[in-house]
Amino acid sequence: MESDTHSDMNTLYPVMSSKLQDRYLGLLGIQRRKPSMDALCELVQAHLLRVPFENVSKLYYKKHQGLRGIPSLELFLDGIERFHFGGTCYSNNYYLYQLLANLGYQNKLCGADMSTPDVHLVSMVNLEKRDYLVDVGYAAPFLTPMPRDLTTDYIIILGRERYVLKPQDASGCSRMELYRDGNLNHGYSAKPAPRQIHEFEQVIADSYWEDATFMKALLLARFFPNRSLVIHNLTVIESQGTASSIRTLTGQEELGQVVLEYFGIPEEFTLEAVNGLGQLKDAWS
């Protein structure tokens, strides 16, 4: 990651060269624009549609490069361009945060608590006197910035899943809840304090432990304007509207073929990533 930093009224952020900004925007298929609500919506949707949530690259880079942190920006962009990689919340949300800040958005990198503090990253953007939650790293259909100044629940439904963003609590935190088939399945609480990426070094390193979630589970999610495709271990879930279809794959060989077909990630990368994982566990547990 680049070491130079810039500052605004909220926080310091790493400088991204104009060349890397243009490359990033080109991979998203969009043009550089002045900050506006329309431009922010275009950026968020493009990122979610073009850059999948996936931990194949996390497993692969750990095995082949000994990686125990966020890939460099260059490696992240190379992965998108050459292998149709994306990343988990740490890379997807951090680099979008960095891009937004360098494009002139008033933007904060924030931590979010799950069962453990600060195991998720999000962006909070202030635009036109309103605060928005931006999250392209939760394997969820958050295709637009989500307002934080809520008086009632903000609800997104896709297939069998319902995402509920609650009004801020007394501390200014925003609670996201994931309901699957009507049952509360997962969630996080996003905290508004501006943070620096180095503050998450330990929790990111912990995510590479042998028993950490994304070292023992496979999760890929790809989104479209009105549908999604999710591969969770050996299960393929396709959702559109309020309906979901679920099928089980026969084994790792079919898994590699399906990941190639639906995500474009080379088959050998998937097979190498899952080789030796043993008993796969629930990524949402």
Side-chain angles (χ1 to χ4, degrees):
M1 277 176 280
E2 298 158 350
S3 58
D4 291 341
T5 59
H6 230 25
S7 64
D8 61 20
M9 64 181 295
N10 285 318
T11 187
L12 295 171
Y13 58 87
V15 173
M16 184 186 296
S17 70
S18 294
K19 183 177 179 180
L20 284 173
Q21 291 176 44
D22 289 341
R23 183 184 179 196
Y24 202 157
L25 291 168
L27 290 172
L28 298 182
I30 59 177
Q31 300 293 318
R32 180 188 299 270
R33 298 170 63 187
K34 292 182 179 179
S36 68
M37 193 63 213
D38 184 61
L40 179 62
C41 289
E42 181 185 41
L43 270 163
V44 172
Q45 176 164 293
H47 207 287
L48 205 60
L49 299 186
R50 295 288 188 106
V51 184
F53 181 102
E54 54 80 21
N55 68 314
V56 170
S57 60
K58 187 180 182 88
L59 291 161
Y60 185 83
Y61 288 146
K62 179 187 177 183
K63 287 185 177 182
H64 284 266
Q65 300 190 15
L67 192 65
R68 296 295 189 278
I70 298 177
S72 68
L73 176 58
E74 291 84 351
L75 184 60
F76 177 66
L77 297 179
D78 283 346
I80 296 170
E81 185 172 33
R82 298 177 60 197
F83 308 121
H84 304 283
F85 284 161
T88 61
C89 79
Y90 299 126
S91 51
N92 287 4
N93 274 336
Y94 176 61
Y95 286 126
L96 178 59
Y97 150 77
Q98 190 176 328
L99 178 63
L100 290 173
N102 278 269
L103 290 174
Y105 287 90
Q106 187 178 330
N107 184 31
K108 299 185 293 185
L109 180 69
C110 299
D113 299 343
M114 296 179 180
S115 57
T116 304
D118 287 338
V119 292
H120 188 55
L121 297 180
V122 299
S123 284
M124 291 187 185
V125 181
N126 184 272
L127 185 64
E128 299 173 0
K129 299 182 179 180
R130 297 187 70 185
D131 282 336
Y132 295 90
L133 178 68
V134 171
D135 187 353
V136 295
Y138 192 56
F142 301 156
L143 291 162
T144 59
M146 296 171 283
R148 296 186 64 240
D149 55 346
L150 301 170
T151 57
T152 59
D153 292 349
Y154 183 92
I155 299 172
I156 299 170
I157 296 174
L158 182 60
R160 61 180 184 150
E161 296 180 338
R162 179 166 57 97
Y163 299 86
V164 181
L165 181 62
K166 311 293 290 186
Q168 295 178 44
D169 65 17
S171 300
C173 297
S174 293
R175 174 73 186 170
M176 175 63 72
E177 297 177 347
L178 163 59
Y179 293 83
R180 182 171 293 130
D181 299 324
N183 300 309
L184 181 61
N185 185 260
H186 203 264
Y188 64 79
S189 180
K191 302 171 292 187
R195 307 287 295 277
Q196 297 294 314
I197 192 62
H198 68 80
E199 298 176 55
F200 299 91
E201 285 180 358
Q202 187 58 56
V203 74
I204 293 171
D206 291 348
S207 74
Y208 287 88
W209 286 355
E210 185 177 340
D211 291 329
T213 296
F214 290 118
M215 296 292 106
K216 285 293 186 182
L218 194 71
L219 181 62
L220 302 93
R222 185 177 181 188
F223 295 94
F224 306 87
N226 60 355
R227 63 186 180 92
S228 67
L229 174 68
V230 175
I231 298 176
H232 179 222
N233 296 330
L234 294 178
T235 301
V236 179
I237 306 147
E238 297 186 66
S239 299
Q240 186 164 7
T242 58
S244 293
S245 64
I246 303 172
R247 67 184 175 101
T248 302
L249 303 176
T250 57
Q252 290 188 5
E253 183 176 347
E254 187 181 10
L255 172 65
Q257 295 168 355
V258 170
V259 170
L260 173 62
E261 178 183 356
Y262 290 150
F263 287 80
I265 296 174
E267 189 174 350
E268 61 269 24
F269 286 7
T270 301
L271 296 178
E272 173 68 17
V274 300
N275 182 42
L277 288 189
Q279 184 68 38
L280 297 174
K281 70 179 189 180
D282 184 354
W284 287 282
S285 63

